[in-house]
Amino acid sequence: DAGVIQSPRHEVTEMGQEVTLRCKPISGHNSLFWYRQTMMRGLELLIYFNNNVPIDDSGMPEDRFSAKMPNASFSTLKIQPSEPRDSAVYFCASSLAGTDGYTFGSGTRLTVV
Amino acid sequence: AQSVTQLGSHVSVSEGALVLLRCNYSSSVPPYLFWYVQYPNQGLQLLLKYTTGATLVKGINGFEAEFKKSETSFHLTKPSAHMSDAAEYFCAVIISGGYNKLIFGAGTRLAVHP
């Protein structure tokens, strides 16, 4: 298996622009998570999907953030409009049985200028 | 609320020395415990996990950790540090009974010097 695949690896955008981050989970995994990592806040869970349904989005910082999972093999995290404080590394992770831990993607480094 | 505390945001050891990274958790029910490693510009990789059974668990790259319920600890150790062990290490916990949300500690950056 290729693991959790995220794209793009790097994204530089101007403030106010829309940004879409993409994630392909491991085939057969039924849970998907989006995390944000910054120096100040560490790893923050943004949203969790189970069987393509959003279960907990309490970590989504603002209405500018939205996430979708249209099918078991694809998820997006969208920021619109983007702001410089959104600059961070965004990780996607998936799991089959959460008690076995999660498998993380390589992340997307977002820079908003 | 469940939480994970990693003592020491930075740890520095000499090559060949013992590595000890500390992790304590708070939970009123038996937890599932994990250690992840993050190398620069990479994602998080699972080092080892404790779910049930033997309290001493062995992971990749020579690391191991021991679950001590009485101390609510899950410290990570390696007998002899290599330069390649330099990375950030995260302790994490899943509290059984919930939806298996993984709660991370703040991380410990390990430096290994010659």
Side-chain angles (χ1 to χ4, degrees), chain B residues 44-102:
Chain B
L44 281 76
Q45 180 183 3
L46 182 64
L47 263 182
L48 50 79
K49 63 185 177 187
Y50 168 78
T51 53
T52 59
T55 56
L56 181 64
V57 292
K58 296 185 185 298
I60 61 173
N61 302 338
F63 284 92
E64 62 182 36
E66 186 171 11
F67 169 57
K68 292 187 176 181
K69 183 179 178 181
S70 61
E71 299 178 8
T72 61
S73 69
F74 191 57
H75 302 330
L76 182 70
T77 60
K78 182 174 180 177
S80 176
H82 293 172
M83 297 295 290
S84 60
D85 293 327
E88 187 148 22
Y89 293 80
F90 294 91
C91 182
V93 61
I94 286 176
I95 306 301
S96 59
Y99 71 67
N100 297 329
K101 178 178 178 178
L102 196 59

Side-chain angles (χ1 to χ4, degrees), chain A residues 35 37 48 56 91 98 101-102, chain B residues 34 36 38 94 99-100 102:
Chain A
Y35 281 84
Q37 185 179 37
Y48 155 60
D56 181 359
F91 288 104
Y102 303 171
Chain B
F34 306 82
Y36 282 83
Q38 185 179 29
I94 286 176
Y99 71 67
N100 297 329
L102 196 59

Side-chain angles (χ1 to χ4, degrees), chain A residues 50-97:
Chain A
N50 186 252
N51 293 323
N52 312 338
V53 176
I55 302 299
D56 181 359
D57 65 354
S58 60
M60 296 286 264
E62 302 172 34
D63 290 346
R64 298 184 296 105
F65 286 70
S66 63
K68 293 182 179 179
M69 192 165 186
N71 57 61
S73 59
F74 184 66
S75 176
T76 59
L77 178 67
K78 182 181 293 186
I79 308 172
Q80 180 184 23
S82 57
E83 297 183 3
R85 59 195 168 116
D86 302 330
S87 297
V89 181
Y90 291 81
F91 288 104
C92 177
S94 70
S95 76
L96 174 57

